[in-house]
Amino acid sequence: MVEFYIPIIGLGVAVFTLIFLVLRTRIHVLLAMLIAAVIAGVSGGLTMSNVVEVIAKGFGSTLGSIGIVIGLGSMMGRILEASGATEQIAYSLIKWLGKKREEWALAITGYIVSIPIFVNSAFVILYPLVKALAKKGKRNVLTLGVALAGGLVVTHHIVPPTPGPLGVAGIFGVSVGKVMLVGMILAIPCVIGITCYAKWLETKYPEYQLVETEENLRQIHQSYMEDKSNTPLPGLFISLLPIVVPIVLIFINVVNGLLLKTALFIGKENHFYFQVFNFLGSPIIALAISVLLAVYKLMPNVSKQEVIEHLETGLQTVGIILLVSGAGGALGAVLNEGSTGTILAQYIASLPITPVLIPFIIATLIRIIQGSGTVAMITAASISAPVIKQIPDINMLVAAQAAMMGTLFFSYFNDCFFWVVNRMMGIKDVRHQVIVWSIPTTIAWGIGLCGILLLNLIL
């Protein structure tokens, strides 16, 4: 009986050590995750030498499945930032949707833009447009800012090629294309929920209207762009092309995979059509095409050296995320190789809840404790994937989405995006900060939970 509990106690100690080291010491999360992996491995019955081998194997296999995709996605996102494509997307949507629908335009912009671009930098880039719209249209800056941030934060947390979701896909061993497509669908009601809440803020805090200027919106926008880069905006079609093309290619590949399982197409996987789109629709090739489109269409007249600098800047932002994702894979590997995963699987299978909620609950708890959505989802995936894989009839795609969706819960002081949103909008009162940003992320979390349960019933 004691031997039964040792792996479970060891995992508890490993998780506690991880959280303590991240919150209370100067040890980086990468090293903290490796220490936790060692504790979980030894307590799970692995020898010291085996622990090292399994950590290296898990680290390498995780990065092997997602590392190139993360790098390509980051390079593409950097080109979108530097070229002004993000501003063009926002401005075009605002013109199309018309007056008094600016919050929906900004929410859709955030939904699209945050797929390839980091959420913090995307909000900083687009917030001047929020202020311009608030001034010109006499709209509430909280409504517009929260709508934009809501669109950004949801897809950032659940749609690849954002690094966190890519890491989760690698750890759970599910198709990046399927994670992307399902995540985009699940994100829609979450963004709608946040935007509706943002509209309510206009009624709650009417004093946040900026009405002191009569400057023309186009003049404000152009002035901002001149200060930023002194370059004209690319066309809307060209701005959307690097985002849409990989999504379409991946979507076609996923649909083809479903067709090949039907009686009409079974055994035809070697047909030229399926071979071509299996190649083009793989995430690595699709995103490589996207980077080429971004470089040659969004920056046609920029020097080679400047383009390379932008691409390398994008890569510099993902170095630590790659290492943390690999460390998460290492932690998952030791749980899978030891006895801990089997013991937990037997216990969880007997609980009166669906096992796909286990990664959701773990991600939510870790999110509350340490704040980083990326760390929370990687840790939740690392702990739960080896366990859930041993339970029959569990859809790993749904479980992966659950691990990501749980990290939307109650963005608070320990989340850097909480400060980006509130500080840029000038919200200093703690109570107002919670109302403005912590509550809408929790609304998205609740809607996401409903989406996960519905998806689990369907699949």
Side-chain angles (χ1 to χ4, degrees), residues 226-267:
E226 288 172 3
D227 293 339
K228 178 177 180 291
S229 61
N230 289 318
T231 57
L233 291 174
L236 178 63
F237 177 77
I238 299 301
S239 298
L240 286 171
L241 202 61
I243 301 174
V244 173
V245 166
I247 292 174
V248 171
L249 290 174
I250 291 171
F251 177 76
I252 292 174
N253 189 32
V254 171
V255 171
N256 287 344
L258 297 175
L259 289 176
L260 288 171
K261 295 179 181 179
T262 63
L264 183 62
F265 293 98
I266 194 165

Side-chain angles (χ1 to χ4, degrees), residues 401-423:
Q401 293 290 345
M404 295 181 280
M405 196 67 76
T407 60
L408 288 171
F409 185 76
F410 203 75
S411 172
Y412 198 49
F413 292 157
N414 51 7
D415 177 16
C416 64
F417 194 54
F418 172 89
W419 295 110
V420 171
V421 172
N422 278 297
R423 291 300 188 191

Side-chain angles (χ1 to χ4, degrees), residues 284-300:
I284 291 176
I285 301 302
L287 281 167
I289 293 172
S290 175
V291 173
L292 291 174
L293 288 172
V295 168
Y296 286 100
K297 292 297 184 180
L298 295 177
M299 289 187 162

Side-chain angles (χ1 to χ4, degrees), residues 264-412:
L264 183 62
F265 293 98
I266 194 165
K268 296 184 178 180
E269 58 272 3
N270 292 326
H271 188 277
F272 179 75
Y273 166 81
F274 290 110
Q275 286 289 304
V276 167
F277 279 101
N278 184 51
F279 173 75
L280 296 177
S282 64
I284 291 176
I285 301 302
L287 281 167
I289 293 172
S290 175
V291 173
L292 291 174
L293 288 172
V295 168
Y296 286 100
K297 292 297 184 180
L298 295 177
M299 289 187 162
N301 300 317
V302 178
S303 68
K304 173 184 176 181
Q305 186 59 38
E306 187 176 347
V307 169
I308 291 175
E309 287 177 1
H310 285 308
L311 294 174
E312 290 182 349
T313 299
L315 288 176
Q316 289 169 5
T317 61
V318 299
I320 189 58
I321 295 175
L322 285 171
L323 292 174
V324 170
S325 299
L331 176 58
V334 297
L335 294 178
N336 192 47
E337 291 289 330
S339 60
T340 310
T342 303
I343 294 172
L344 277 176
Q346 294 172 351
Y347 176 73
I348 289 173
S350 66
L351 294 176
I353 62 171
T354 174
V356 296
L357 287 183
I358 299 303
F360 181 86
I361 295 169
I362 296 173
T364 300
L365 293 174
I366 296 176
R367 162 73 165 189
I368 295 171
I369 294 169
Q370 58 81 48
S372 169
T374 299
V375 173
M377 67 178 71
I378 293 295
T379 305
S382 304
I383 294 172
S384 60
V387 176
I388 293 177
K389 286 177 181 177
Q390 300 184 48
I391 301 175
D393 302 323
I394 298 298
N395 190 298
M396 299 303 287
L397 175 61
V398 181
Q401 293 290 345
M404 295 181 280
M405 196 67 76
T407 60
L408 288 171
F409 185 76
F410 203 75
S411 172
Y412 198 49

Side-chain angles (χ1 to χ4, degrees), residues 81-284:
E81 288 181 42
S83 66
T86 54
E87 287 89 348
Q88 178 60 264
I89 294 169
Y91 190 69
S92 298
L93 285 169
I94 289 162
K95 287 194 295 184
W96 287 350
L97 291 176
K99 188 174 176 61
K100 297 300 180 184
R101 296 189 183 92
E102 295 91 348
E103 66 276 7
W104 292 105
L106 289 169
I108 296 170
T109 299
Y111 173 93
I112 296 171
V113 166
S114 196
I115 292 175
I117 298 178
F118 284 101
V119 64
N120 290 355
S121 59
F123 189 80
V124 172
I125 290 169
L126 292 171
Y127 185 70
L129 190 55
V130 169
K131 293 179 66 176
L133 287 169
K135 291 174 182 178
K136 174 63 180 177
K138 299 182 180 180
R139 296 299 308 275
N140 189 289
V141 72
L142 296 185
T143 295
L144 302 183
V146 170
L148 171 63
L152 290 169
V153 78
V154 173
T155 50
H156 174 80
H157 278 75
I158 65 174
V159 180
T162 305
L166 277 175
V168 172
I171 293 169
F172 274 94
V174 294
S175 163
V176 172
K178 291 181 180 179
V179 172
M180 177 184 290
L181 296 175
V182 172
M184 292 177 68
I185 294 170
L186 290 177
I188 293 173
C190 296
V191 174
I192 291 173
I194 291 181
T195 307
C196 290
Y197 179 84
K199 288 172 66 68
W200 173 80
L201 287 174
E202 198 164 28
T203 304
K204 177 70 173 177
Y205 299 106
E207 67 272 17
Y208 280 92
Q209 284 187 347
L210 304 177
V211 298
E212 70 274 18
T213 181
E214 297 297 330
E215 290 182 86
N216 182 268
L217 172 60
R218 184 181 292 274
Q219 292 174 338
I220 296 171
H221 184 73
Q222 289 178 345
S223 174
Y224 162 65
M225 285 304 299
E226 288 172 3
D227 293 339
K228 178 177 180 291
S229 61
N230 289 318
T231 57
L233 291 174
L236 178 63
F237 177 77
I238 299 301
S239 298
L240 286 171
L241 202 61
I243 301 174
V244 173
V245 166
I247 292 174
V248 171
L249 290 174
I250 291 171
F251 177 76
I252 292 174
N253 189 32
V254 171
V255 171
N256 287 344
L258 297 175
L259 289 176
L260 288 171
K261 295 179 181 179
T262 63
L264 183 62
F265 293 98
I266 194 165
K268 296 184 178 180
E269 58 272 3
N270 292 326
H271 188 277
F272 179 75
Y273 166 81
F274 290 110
Q275 286 289 304
V276 167
F277 279 101
N278 184 51
F279 173 75
L280 296 177
S282 64
I284 291 176

